[in-house]
Amino acid sequence: MSIFYLICLFFSHSQYLQYLRSDSLHTGLSLLSLVDMYNIMESEVYEFSAADLPDKICFCPQAEFNGKPDSLFFNDGVRRIDFILVYEDEDKKEFEKRHTFQRRREYFEASLMKMGMELEATKSVVDEKLLFVKVHMPWDVLCTYAEVLHIKVPLQPNDLTSHYSPWRIFSCITKHFQPNEELIGKESDFFTAPFEKERQGYFHIKDKDLFFTPSMRSKMAFYILTRAPYEIRGNVKKFGITKLLNSGVYKAAYPLHDCRFNVKSKEPDCPNERYLLYNEWAHPKSFYKMQPLDLIRKYYGEKIGIYFAWLGFYTTMLALAAVVGLACFIYGYKTQETSTWSKEVCDPEIGGQIVMCPQCDHFCQYWRLNSTCEASKDTQYCVYMIVSLFLIVGCLFFPVPVCFLPSVTLFLEFWKRYQAELEYEWDTVEFLEQEELPRPEYEAKCIYERKNPITGVKEKIPYTTCGRCVRVSIGIGTVLFWIMLILASVVAITVYRLAVFFAFSTSLRTQGLKELEPIKEYVTPQMATSVTASLINFIAIMILNTVYERTDYENSLTLKMFLFQFVNYYSSCFYIAFAKGKAVGYPGKPVYLVGAYRNEECDPGGCMIELTTQLSIIMSGKAIWNNIQEVLLPWVKNLISRHCTRVTSENTIPRWEQDYRLQPVSKLGLFYEYLEMVIQFGFVTLFVASFPLAPVLALVNNLFEIRVDAWKMVTQFRRIVPEKAQDIGAWQPILQGVAILAVATNAMITAFTSDMIPRLVYYWSFSVYPYGSNTDHTMKGYINSSLSVFSTSDFSNASSPIDSFNISTCRYRDFRYPPGHPRQYEHNVYYWHVIAAKLAFIIVVEHIVYFTKFILSYMIPDVPYAVKEQIKREKYLTQVILHETNLKLVTKRLKPSDDDTADHTEMTESNEETDLDF
């Protein structure tokens, strides 16, 4: 088509010509713009040709609502609705905005129709200002873009016999947890191949209207919508429904739900998949049922399906860890009263006679060791839970990291196998990067050229080398700034701990809590400080999360956001586990923070109970807050929307308008769901040595999380545009990194935070000759051995308490020589034995766990053997079909030349016979 002909067609439309004249000053549309428009349509960026340019601005035909609220078709009842566009009538807007919006929208819709899509507009039955544009893709357009997007479709039925599974013996039990097979039948198993328009006859096509599923159709429709142009001015290229939505030209764009979630559709051929998903998956009564993953994938796409598959698999593995953690909890609770250490602390003749040194300067008082009786039982309870963790699973010499963390490796390896099965079943095995087409937003930024080092062809890139360096530097600087801000908040909370501890130490031990008599024995200065600081830390975490959640695209966001969340959630836990109480000096020479605040100490039994308190508050608070937010916010918004429309019955509202009243889906909604679970995975693995009940809390939360996510997705949100995904993406290496880090953190928590190693050293070495006076190994006397002696006359003026009560010596938690010794207040031999044992423990445990992890990763193949066979069979069939097709094409082309060759051969033979006769 020539440019002259294009201009003539454009100006032949008198109505649009009059519109241009009335708005020429505002639009700037000129003949030069048309020429540029023609040229830009030939560029590879848009993947359109000049033929896609509309001959003239065609207006979308309008039709009245036909009174069928459940209909998924145009008014003719034949053409299926693949997508919905919603806009507001421009007559209600100001002059300049009205004409700008109308020009862009009309050109955009004309581009869609030129590309083969069919449109039909219908006015709203509720709001006269709204119009709904229904989009339909004919068969030829579907075939074209199915080939462009490499969509895999059925080739022929799967003829491989299924392998026997040993889990089938439990089918009589598991069938009660499966969705109703009469409602959700098992899908037919086919070999699949990428669709090719020229080879339609080889695919399993029974009905053209049903061959491409609604999710496939909406995916192809959205691909066209995101690349259709709406305005071109000179070198400025504007295209895509995303920008039109952001600028307000369109109010919404979404695919349709097939029915209401709680009522079946009255249309005869409607599959009612949304209704089935609600009843068999999202409804609270189905909390015990397995997820219908194939139906989820069919309705929402592979990306949503793989998330719920991973979440369900993770929850199942948590159930096993929760059983072990709960058994440890029960064992620790039952045996805490029998602890020799707790008995000595609570004994008035032992703990009641031990006077402890003040834990702050000047204002703090001396205190009796038995005042921490209940806290010591809790600390002993934590230690018993650690010990029971490896006793239960038979590890007699190596605790939590050796026994629990290899199960994390098993979880990751078995997930890879399960993921490989889903990749084959959901046709994402060969989902390569070249099949994942670039985003329109990325294409629009590609304004620089470079030569591809591999192909040697010039290609468009968004940034130069210098620009990319600047962008990366800014990103790194931003992340570091936020991390420093988090660390500053941790320091502030630490200062709060120190200041409040002084106040609690003065008030609780002198005045008491008469009004809280039932819980008085539990409220120690350390416990009160720990609980209040944990609550403040949780509030700070949620505030910083809210402020930081202003993000870029998902792939570039994953690692940056995880680093931020990692520091935000875990920094306070790392402080308590590895920093608190480690550098406090001794009463005569304490260590000060910022030169003013005396560094805080742990309880005589260690900081384990405080770490457990911190973890339980953050995990519980985070789970409760997220679930309330995920349930209440969309529900309240939809409730307000329904109230404002004031419709008496939904039976009079068409399907597209019912969906418009639902909440739009955030582009990063699934990203935050993954992030929430990965952070929880960190709590479960990184600190399981201090909190074995973490898997139990995580299990309970996930049972709610699956149903809450399903409920809000099915009932409160518009249907999501399906996306393809092969795996869980960047979250897989992050999970592996957390699992590796968990080995080190749990080993160090067991060694440095808990009191387990000092007790073992005392039991095996210092309770008997030559260090002890006992004949047999025992824990008796451990309290006296773990508390050093300090002379009150050695207090400095700054740290000396106001009231001395004529006390000559006091005790403190450390391993130092007593006063009067030639090396007084220096670390004694017990201390160096404990340090050596801790370091040896960490080195041995880490090597054993990492070696076990390597062996398990090597022995367990990532892809099951049966899946490998099916993949090879599918590739073979595809190659055979392609070979047969190519052979027929070659044979067809060579047939005329073969006939000529045969005639020439006959002539040659006749000549030879003539020569012989002669």
Side-chain angles (χ1 to χ4, degrees):
M1 181 188 300
S2 66
I3 298 178
F4 176 76
Y5 182 58
L6 174 69
I7 297 173
C8 291
L9 286 175
F10 184 85
F11 281 96
S12 64
H13 201 294
S14 59
Q15 182 179 1
Y16 201 76
L17 178 61
Q18 183 179 3
Y19 163 71
L20 285 178
R21 289 172 178 170
S22 64
D23 197 38
S24 58
L25 294 177
H26 300 286
T27 62
L29 187 63
S30 61
L31 296 182
L32 181 60
S33 299
L34 292 175
V35 175
D36 293 335
M37 188 188 309
Y38 179 86
N39 292 333
I40 203 65
M41 296 304 293
E42 296 181 332
S43 67
E44 294 181 358
V45 175
Y46 291 90
E47 299 182 4
F48 300 140
S49 64
D52 294 318
L53 185 66
D55 297 336
K56 57 183 180 179
I57 301 300
C58 304
F59 293 96
C60 175
Q62 292 194 7
E64 296 294 331
F65 173 50
N66 58 7
K68 298 179 179 179
D70 294 331
S71 177
L72 303 176
F73 295 87
F74 282 19
N75 277 11
D76 58 13
V78 177
R79 292 174 293 176
R80 177 181 292 274
I81 301 173
D82 297 318
F83 225 86
I84 291 291
L85 306 177
V86 186
Y87 68 91
E88 194 173 0
D89 189 1
E90 281 78 10
D91 292 339
K92 313 298 181 184
K93 298 179 179 179
E94 59 187 21
F95 178 80
E96 184 174 355
K97 183 179 289 187
R98 177 174 73 243
H99 286 279
T100 302
F101 282 13
Q102 185 175 357
R103 182 188 72 251
R104 291 181 175 180
R105 191 186 65 254
E106 290 177 354
Y107 189 86
F108 180 74
E109 292 175 0
S111 300
L112 294 178
M113 288 189 283
K114 183 62 181 177
M115 294 161 62
M117 304 184 79
E118 298 177 3
L119 310 180
E120 182 181 84
T122 301
K123 287 187 177 181
S124 170
V125 299
V126 177
D127 189 351
E128 61 179 7
K129 296 184 296 183
L130 293 178
L131 284 91
F132 295 85
V133 179
K134 295 168 278 187
V135 180
H136 169 75
M137 298 182 67
W139 173 254
D140 289 339
V141 179
L142 288 171
C143 293
T144 300
Y145 285 94
E147 187 170 358
V148 170
L149 297 177
H150 303 276
I151 292 180
K152 286 191 171 184
V153 291
L155 194 63
Q156 74 173 43
N158 189 341
D159 56 356
L160 291 179
T161 57
S162 59
H163 290 258
Y164 174 78
S165 174
W167 302 107
R168 290 183 181 178
I169 58 177
F170 301 103
S171 59
C172 59
I173 300 175
T174 58
K175 68 179 182 180
H176 300 289
F177 300 96
Q178 297 292 337
N180 192 338
E181 295 183 358
E182 297 180 359
L183 299 176
I184 304 178
K186 188 176 181 181
E187 294 187 3
S188 302
D189 193 7
F190 287 92
F191 291 119
T192 60
F195 184 80
E196 295 186 29
K197 193 174 182 179
E198 296 181 354
R199 298 183 175 93
Q200 296 183 33
Y202 291 96
F203 293 98
H204 195 268
I205 303 176
K206 289 185 177 180
D207 188 346
K208 290 184 177 181
D209 294 333
L210 301 177
F211 181 66
F212 294 108
T213 63
S215 62
M216 294 179 183
R217 297 173 69 105
S218 59
K219 180 182 178 181
M220 290 184 276
F222 185 71
Y223 175 81
I224 298 175
L225 290 171
T226 54
R227 286 161 174 80
Y230 64 84
E231 186 178 40
I232 300 174
R233 295 182 182 179
N235 293 327
V236 179
K237 313 164 189 178
K238 296 183 178 181
F239 62 96
I241 188 63
T242 305
K243 291 185 178 179
L244 294 177
L245 290 171
N246 294 335
S247 61
V249 176
Y250 286 98
K251 304 289 289 185
Y254 51 89
L256 285 180
H257 283 296
D258 61 353
C259 64
R260 281 189 281 174
F261 70 87
N262 55 354
V263 179
K264 281 189 175 182
S265 173
K266 297 180 181 178
E267 295 293 315
D269 297 330
C270 180
N272 292 299
E273 291 176 348
R274 186 188 184 194
Y275 175 80
L276 295 176
L277 285 172
Y278 176 72
N279 282 279
E280 296 296 318
W281 179 46
H283 198 283
K285 69 178 182 181
S286 303
F287 75 95
Y288 64 93
K289 292 186 178 181
M290 303 296 289
Q291 300 184 89
L293 293 177
D294 289 334
L295 184 58
I296 297 171
R297 173 252 179 175
K298 181 181 178 182
Y299 194 76
Y300 288 113
E302 290 80 7
K303 193 171 185 178
I304 299 295
I306 201 73
Y307 163 72
F308 281 103
W310 176 82
L311 182 57
F313 188 84
Y314 169 50
T315 305
T316 302
M317 298 299 289
L318 275 178
L320 303 177
V323 171
V324 177
L326 189 61
C328 297
F329 175 84
I330 297 173
Y331 176 81
Y333 181 80
K334 293 292 186 181
T335 56
Q336 62 176 336
E337 298 292 341
T338 63
S339 167
T340 303
W341 188 85
S342 296
K343 289 180 179 179
E344 290 186 352
V345 171
C346 300
D347 190 349
E349 300 299 326
I350 302 177
Q353 300 300 320
I354 296 177
V355 178
M356 301 298 295
C357 297
Q359 292 182 312
C360 64
D361 293 338
H362 202 56
F363 296 103
C364 291
Q365 304 295 326
Y366 297 98
W367 51 285
R368 301 285 180 179
L369 181 61
N370 65 348
S371 65
T372 62
C373 176
E374 295 300 327
S376 67
K377 290 182 179 179
D378 294 336
T379 302
Q380 179 65 26
Y381 166 55
C382 292
V383 174
Y384 268 31
M385 284 198 295
I386 296 175
V387 176
S388 61
L389 258 178
F390 66 89
L391 288 179
I392 288 177
V393 291
C395 304
L396 299 179
F397 298 100
F398 302 102
V400 176
V402 176
C403 303
F404 179 78
L405 295 177
S407 65
V408 178
T409 302
L410 291 176
F411 158 66
L412 295 175
E413 294 300 322
F414 284 141
W415 163 247
K416 290 179 184 177
R417 292 174 59 85
Y418 184 50
Q419 184 174 257
E421 295 178 7
L422 294 178
E423 287 176 13
Y424 174 74
E425 293 176 4
W426 294 354
D427 301 322
T428 60
V429 174
E430 297 178 353
F431 180 61
L432 305 177
E433 290 184 358
Q434 57 264 31
E435 296 182 20
E436 189 175 5
L437 298 169
R439 298 173 292 116
E441 296 85 352
Y442 176 83
E443 293 177 350
K445 296 178 181 179
C446 295
I447 58 178
Y448 302 99
E449 286 189 353
R450 74 159 186 178
K451 187 176 181 180
N452 192 305
I454 299 175
T455 62
V457 180
K458 287 186 177 181
E459 62 182 5
K460 296 282 188 178
I461 58 175
Y463 310 107
T464 61
T465 304
C466 181
R468 185 175 183 84
C469 292
V470 172
R471 186 177 176 86
V472 171
S473 300
I474 293 174
I476 294 175
T478 303
V479 174
L480 291 178
F481 167 77
W482 282 100
I483 290 177
M484 295 302 295
L485 186 62
I486 295 169
L487 295 178
S489 68
V490 173
V491 173
I493 293 174
T494 302
V495 173
Y496 165 84
R497 287 174 177 271
L498 299 176
V500 171
F501 178 77
F502 300 153
F504 284 150
S505 297
T506 303
S507 60
L508 295 182
R509 288 200 172 112
T510 57
Q511 301 174 8
L513 294 174
K514 296 181 180 179
E515 64 277 8
L516 299 176
E517 191 64 32
I519 61 173
K520 177 181 177 181
E521 55 187 3
Y522 296 97
V523 184
T524 62
Q526 292 88 350
M527 182 60 66
T529 303
S530 175
V531 172
T532 57
S534 299
L535 291 173
I536 293 175
N537 187 42
F538 171 71
I539 295 173
I541 287 172
M542 304 312 296
I543 293 175
L544 288 172
N545 281 347
T546 304
V547 175
Y548 187 75
E549 289 177 356
R550 189 174 182 271
T551 58
D552 289 330
Y553 187 61
E554 182 174 343
N555 288 343
S556 62
L557 169 68
T558 302
L559 184 58
K560 291 188 294 185
M561 191 66 179
F562 176 74
L563 289 175
F564 169 81
Q565 297 276 20
F566 184 92
V567 178
N568 195 21
Y569 277 104
Y570 304 144
S571 56
S572 59
C573 297
F574 276 102
Y575 165 75
I576 296 173
F578 307 121
K580 183 180 177 181
K582 301 301 186 292
V584 296
Y586 59 93
K589 193 178 179 181
V591 176
Y592 291 91
L593 181 66
V594 200
Y597 296 96
R598 180 172 168 177
N599 208 350
E600 59 180 335
E601 303 177 20
C602 296
D603 280 333
C607 291
M608 185 66 77
I609 187 62
E610 187 172 349
L611 179 59
T612 303
T613 303
Q614 180 85 0
L615 289 170
S616 59
I617 289 177
I618 293 179
M619 280 194 68
S620 304
K622 178 177 175 292
I624 294 172
W625 172 257
N626 287 339
N627 284 319
I628 290 176
Q629 191 177 25
E630 291 179 3
V631 172
L632 286 184
L633 284 183
W635 181 76
V636 171
K637 290 179 180 178
N638 287 332
L639 186 65
I640 295 173
S641 175
R642 287 193 296 268
H643 178 73
C644 294
T645 53
R646 298 179 181 177
V647 178
T648 57
S649 175
E650 290 192 355
N651 294 327
T652 59
I653 304 178
R655 172 80 267 136
W656 49 86
E657 197 156 355
Q658 294 179 35
D659 287 1
Y660 176 70
R661 293 160 58 191
L662 298 176
Q663 292 301 305
V665 179
S666 172
K667 183 176 70 172
L668 295 175
L670 196 61
F671 168 82
Y672 287 111
E673 298 293 345
Y674 271 117
L675 181 62
E676 178 186 352
M677 290 296 104
V678 171
I679 293 296
Q680 181 201 88
F681 179 80
F683 280 118
V684 171
T685 56
L686 292 174
F687 305 102
V688 68
S690 64
F691 192 34
L693 275 182
V696 179
L697 293 181
L699 175 63
V700 174
N701 173 74
N702 287 9
L703 292 176
F704 282 98
E705 182 74 21
I706 292 175
R707 304 305 162 179
V708 167
D709 287 347
W711 175 83
K712 71 179 183 181
M713 192 171 293
V714 173
T715 66
Q716 304 300 312
F717 286 93
R718 297 169 189 162
R719 189 170 182 176
I720 299 173
V721 178
E723 294 183 55
K724 208 165 189 178
Q726 187 178 24
D727 48 35
I728 60 176
W731 300 110
Q732 183 77 25
I734 288 176
L735 291 173
Q736 293 175 344
V738 171
I740 293 173
L741 180 61
V743 178
T745 57
N746 283 281
M748 288 191 290
I749 286 174
T750 306
F752 291 106
T753 309
S754 75
D755 210 25
M756 179 178 171
I757 300 299
R759 297 185 191 198
L760 291 177
V761 170
Y762 176 82
Y763 181 83
W764 292 106
S765 298
F766 285 83
S767 64
V768 294
Y769 181 82
Y771 299 105
S773 58
N774 298 306
T775 56
D776 296 325
H777 297 286
T778 180
M779 285 301 296
K780 291 182 178 180
Y782 172 73
I783 290 297
N784 187 62
S785 176
S786 63
L787 298 177
S788 299
V789 180
F790 179 77
S791 176
T792 57
S793 61
D794 294 332
F795 272 119
S796 62
N797 294 330
S799 59
S800 177
I802 297 176
D803 298 324
S804 62
F805 299 107
N806 296 323
I807 296 176
S808 60
T809 61
C810 61
R811 310 295 290 271
Y812 60 99
R813 185 175 183 263
D814 207 342
F815 303 106
R816 295 178 182 269
Y817 289 110
H821 193 277
R823 300 174 60 187
Q824 67 175 2
Y825 304 136
E826 293 183 10
H827 290 297
N828 57 22
V829 66
Y830 191 177
Y831 172 83
W832 298 112
H833 274 73
V834 170
I835 290 296
K838 289 180 177 181
L839 295 177
F841 172 84
I842 293 174
I843 294 173
V844 172
V845 165
E846 286 186 349
H847 280 71
I848 290 178
V849 174
Y850 286 139
F851 179 74
T852 306
K853 177 181 174 61
F854 172 78
I855 294 296
L856 291 176
S857 301
Y858 179 78
M859 293 179 59
I860 302 175
D862 293 344
V863 182
Y865 178 75
V867 174
K868 288 183 179 179
E869 283 187 338
Q870 292 176 333
I871 292 174
K872 291 178 181 178
R873 173 66 175 166
E874 187 173 284
K875 286 184 177 179
Y876 169 76
L877 289 176
T878 305
Q879 291 175 355
V880 168
I881 290 175
L882 291 177
H883 175 71
E884 290 179 353
T885 304
N886 294 331
L887 186 61
K888 289 181 180 179
L889 291 175
V890 172
T891 304
K892 185 177 180 180
R893 292 175 182 174
L894 295 179
K895 189 173 182 181
S897 60
D898 291 343
D899 295 340
D900 294 340
T901 303
D903 294 339
H904 178 72
T905 303
E906 291 178 359
M907 291 178 62
T908 303
E909 291 177 352
S910 62
N911 291 334
E912 290 178 353
E913 290 177 359
T914 304
D915 292 339
L916 288 174
D917 292 340
F918 177 75

